[in-house]
Amino acid sequence: MRLRCAVLDDFQRVATEVADWSPLADDVEVVPFSTHFPDEDALAEALAGFDIVVTLRERVPFPASLFARLPRLRLLIASGMRNTVIDYAAAEAHGVTVCGTGSSSTPPVELTWALLLGLARGIVEEAGALRSGGPWQSTVGADLHGRRLGLLGLGKIGSRVAQVALAFGMRVDAWSQNLTKERADECGAQLAASKEELLAESDFVSIHLALSDRTRGLLGPAELALLKPTAYLINTSRAAIVDQEALLTALHEGRIAGAGIDVFDIEPLPADHPMRTAPRLLATPHLGYVSQANYATYYGQAVEDIQAFLAGSPVRQLP
């Protein structure tokens, strides 16, 4: 009897196309789900008959209560090698092996610049006007050359965002709680004296920090109030780093020029979520990691993880 494998949140219906699942055909039945399960009850009901689950990034929490409701589950695969929404102790207690996959930092770097450029040059507004018979030129683009980009975080993603900024002729400032001048110098950035200085002096601010107790709510009402009225905020990292209500207020009151957001407090966003209609907002549905090459890695290595598990030698185990 074949094992059953559920692939969650396959919104584009490509999971079984971007990778070769045929090596598993004799042993595993693969069932993709293209809709998101809204709560634990729905998830537990849908996954009750599965031995293996493949989940994308950190969209679906796997707490102890869910593991307890999935006695048949034996293997959980999460894309990437870091996941904060899986209770690893509970997985072990219920006999569930947890494995990860590789993940590239290139797609979120590219999306960061897509959002920043889209905002700076009014791309969506101008393209929409052109197609709908609207005004010919209604915005005046914000220049990048000679402007200041403030980076909150200068790790693997932030440092590559800095490289692009330098190519545009921008000045790059950076800050994080553990950032050193030596690291900033390596990346061609200036070490900001403080978070507050970076926010107050930057023309564009982009967030590239991992979510933790130290970064949760890092930008609240007081911090957002420091931004120039001509400044743009980009967040392709984690929604909880920015106070969502404070951001919405700043956008509605015109206290910043705009925001480019790819991450939200609830995903997928409900139809009536205020982020869907906020002014001065260029928003994308968490596309940071969504690219052909990254999906090929996620699902290709998921197949490898399953093969190794079936052979009795799991690979890329988490945490």
Side-chain angles (χ1 to χ4, degrees):
M1 181 174 172
R2 292 193 301 170
L3 302 180
R4 301 188 75 220
C5 172
V7 180
L8 298 180
D9 292 338
D10 182 22
F11 298 130
Q12 302 94 345
R13 296 178 172 86
V14 297
T16 56
E17 298 176 5
V18 297
D20 180 10
W21 295 76
S22 63
L24 303 175
D26 292 339
D27 301 305
V28 180
E29 176 192 3
V30 179
V31 181
F33 290 92
S34 60
T35 57
H36 183 73
F37 297 105
D39 54 44
E40 185 176 305
D41 288 342
L43 192 62
E45 181 180 356
L47 299 182
F50 288 91
D51 311 274
I52 303 167
V53 172
V54 178
T55 182
L56 271 178
R57 306 300 293 149
E58 296 173 316
R59 178 171 291 126
V60 179
F62 276 81
S65 56
L66 180 57
F67 283 113
R69 299 172 72 175
L70 300 175
R72 184 168 164 175
L73 182 62
R74 287 295 172 262
L75 175 63
L76 175 62
I77 299 170
S79 56
M81 290 300 293
R82 180 174 61 188
N83 194 301
T84 61
V85 299
I86 296 173
D87 186 328
Y88 295 105
E92 183 177 5
H94 287 86
V96 179
T97 299
V98 183
C99 298
T101 74
S103 183
S104 172
S105 61
T106 298
V109 172
E110 295 174 349
L111 184 71
T112 295
W113 281 102
L115 290 171
L116 194 154
L117 288 166
L119 283 168
R121 300 306 297 268
I123 298 298
V124 174
E125 181 178 351
E126 295 286 6
L130 186 146
R131 294 177 65 88
S132 64
W136 183 264
Q137 297 184 356
S138 61
T139 64
V140 178
D143 296 287
L144 302 189
H145 185 85
R147 307 294 289 280
R148 186 177 301 197
L149 172 64
L151 295 176
L152 292 170
L154 199 60
K156 187 161 51 174
I157 295 175
S159 61
R160 296 182 65 181
V161 171
Q163 292 174 2
V164 178
L166 295 172
F168 274 118
M170 302 180 78
R171 167 176 167 163
V172 179
D173 289 1
W175 178 89
S176 69
Q177 290 171 319
N178 295 321
L179 183 62
T180 64
K181 183 178 185 302
E182 291 72 22
R183 171 62 179 172
D185 289 344
E186 288 176 7
C187 301
Q190 307 290 320
L191 176 63
S194 65
K195 174 184 64 177
E196 290 73 19
E197 180 195 58
L198 180 140
L199 294 172
E201 299 298 326
S202 297
D203 300 296
F204 300 86
V205 174
S206 190
I207 300 169
H208 302 288
L209 296 165
L211 181 62
S212 67
D213 290 340
R214 293 194 307 175
T215 61
R216 187 180 299 274
L218 187 71
L219 298 190
E223 289 77 17
L224 293 176
L226 295 172
L227 292 169
K228 301 175 183 179
T230 55
Y232 297 89
L233 176 68
I234 312 296
N235 188 8
T236 58
S237 184
R238 290 292 183 268
I241 296 173
V242 181
D243 184 312
Q244 300 295 283
E245 291 301 321
L247 175 58
L248 283 167
T249 299
L251 292 169
H252 279 283
E253 295 181 356
R255 290 194 273 109
I256 60 175
I261 304 297
D262 186 49
V263 287
F264 305 93
D265 54 355
I266 303 172
E267 295 185 9
L269 276 183
D272 59 350
H273 195 286
M275 279 288 185
R276 287 187 179 267
T277 55
R280 303 176 181 85
L281 177 66
L282 176 55
T284 48
H286 205 155
L287 299 178
Y289 60 85
V290 180
S291 76
Q292 292 180 356
N294 230 16
Y295 268 28
T297 297
Y298 289 169
Y299 294 117
Q301 292 192 6
V303 172
E304 295 173 0
D305 288 350
I306 295 170
Q307 287 179 297
F309 175 79
L310 295 178
S313 301
V315 295
R316 291 185 283 267
Q317 286 189 254
L318 299 177

